[in-house]
């Protein structure tokens, strides 16, 4: 449940949304991405009201969404999964751009393998790349480090920061992995009971351990 939640994110900024389970983090990103219908209020994107629009229209406006649990198509190859990221995008050709395989080289090696046969970390890279090939202005990442080995988590952090810098991409990161957040973002928003109750620059989060304990500890 969201309760009068309001937030602003600047173009090209990477922001983390943190809080305990059940506080509204996933509900918020699903609402922005158009995956919730029973919700009221207002969501403005580039001056347009998007609340209530179908998910495919919101994606065409420039919002990419990587859901918790990745949700790749297990019976499709990695290449076919990436193709799903461009199909229906009016300004893009219906083919996987070559640069997609430069961002995560693993995907080139696994290009023709079924996504269901990939490891969790490989599936997460695939899900992120599927969103990125759609060339979004805003990327929503829901728990991207969940269940993934540390080396791949670090690679994802480096890649998100690099792509955000190169493409002036705005990223809203829902995450409970504090180490991943400290390496990736510049600002944190803390949510409780559907409301943003505090925000802090990443240096403050890094040096005030009580802050993370207050909003993340069970």
């Amino acid at each position: 449940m969201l309760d009068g939640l309001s937030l602003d994110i600047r173009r090209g900024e990477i922001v983390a949304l943190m809080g305990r389970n059940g506080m509204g983090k996933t509900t918020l990103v699903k609402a922005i991405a158009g995956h919730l219908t029973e919700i009221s209020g207002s969501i403005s994107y580039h001056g347009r009201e998007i609340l209530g629009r179908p998910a495919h229209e919101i994606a065409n406006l420039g919002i990419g969404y990587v859901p918790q649990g990745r949700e790749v198509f297990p019976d499709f190859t990695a290449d076919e999964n990436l193709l799903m990221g461009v199909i229906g995008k009016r300004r893009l050709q219906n083919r996987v751009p070559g640069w997609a395989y430069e961002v995560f080289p693993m995907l080139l090696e696994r290009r023709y393998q079924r996504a269901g046969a990939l490891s969790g970390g490989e599936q997460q890279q695939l899900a992120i790349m599927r969103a990125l090939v759609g060339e979004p202005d805003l990327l929503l990442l829901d728990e991207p480090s969940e269940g993934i080995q540390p080396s791949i988590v670090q690679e994802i952090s480096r890649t998100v920061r690099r792509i955000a810098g190169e493409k002036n991409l705005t990223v809203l990161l829902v995450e409970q992995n504090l180490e991943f957040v400290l390496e990736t973002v510049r600002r944190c928003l803390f949510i409780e009971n559907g409301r943003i109750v505090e925000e802090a620059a990443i240096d403050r989060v890094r040096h005030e351990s009580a802050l993370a304990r207050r909003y993340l500890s069970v």
Side-chain angles (χ1 to χ4, degrees):
M1 173 70 76
L2 303 179
D3 183 12
L5 185 149
S6 177
L7 60 88
D8 292 296
I9 304 176
R10 295 179 292 275
R11 182 68 187 267
E13 187 179 21
I14 306 177
V15 174
L17 180 66
M18 305 190 76
R20 290 181 290 273
N21 289 335
M23 292 298 170
K25 304 185 300 297
T26 293
T27 299
L28 175 61
V29 292
K30 282 185 173 182
I32 296 172
H35 288 252
L36 292 181
T37 55
E38 301 299 323
I39 190 168
S40 62
S42 177
I43 300 176
S44 177
Y45 181 69
H46 290 326
R48 298 181 181 182
E49 176 59 51
I50 63 172
L51 189 65
R53 290 195 180 205
H56 71 275
E57 287 187 12
I58 292 175
N60 266 315
L61 291 174
I63 296 179
Y65 174 47
V66 181
Q68 184 177 15
R70 301 176 281 275
E71 295 186 12
V72 298
F73 298 98
D75 292 329
F76 287 13
T77 65
D79 197 64
E80 289 166 340
N81 268 272
L82 293 180
L83 187 60
M84 297 301 293
V86 297
I87 288 177
K89 300 291 175 61
R90 292 184 292 271
R91 66 189 187 281
L92 300 177
Q93 296 181 340
N94 285 338
R95 61 180 179 81
V96 179
W99 61 264
Y101 297 107
E102 298 172 4
V103 175
F104 290 122
M106 173 280 303
L107 294 177
L108 182 60
E109 300 172 12
R110 306 286 192 271
R111 183 172 183 173
Y112 301 116
Q113 291 186 21
R114 289 192 309 108
L118 304 181
S119 70
E122 291 168 342
Q123 288 185 13
Q124 186 65 76
Q125 291 174 83
L126 177 60
I128 292 172
M129 200 65 247
R130 182 178 61 189
L132 288 175
V133 294
E135 298 187 5
D137 299 316
L138 169 64
L139 179 65
L140 308 171
L141 293 175
D142 194 355
E143 301 280 3
S145 76
E146 185 178 51
I148 297 175
Q149 66 188 61
S151 62
I152 294 182
V153 170
Q154 292 171 1
E155 183 178 358
I156 289 172
S157 174
R158 289 192 298 268
T159 299
V160 169
R161 284 184 279 119
R162 179 168 62 83
I163 294 294
E166 291 175 354
K167 297 182 177 293
N168 201 25
L169 175 68
T170 305
V171 181
L172 179 60
L173 169 67
V174 170
E175 188 56 77
Q176 295 193 77
N177 182 335
L178 183 58
E179 184 176 344
F180 179 62
V181 167
L182 291 174
E183 290 185 1
T184 309
V185 313
R186 295 291 182 87
R187 184 164 63 103
C188 289
L189 305 173
F190 294 96
I191 186 171
E192 272 197 340
N193 299 319
R195 291 189 175 190
I196 303 297
V197 292
E198 190 159 357
E199 70 172 87
I202 197 63
D203 283 344
R204 181 182 165 210
V205 179
R206 182 176 286 110
H207 294 110
E208 292 184 23
S209 57
L211 187 62
R213 288 199 301 271
R214 186 184 312 156
Y215 298 112
L216 300 179
S217 298
V218 178

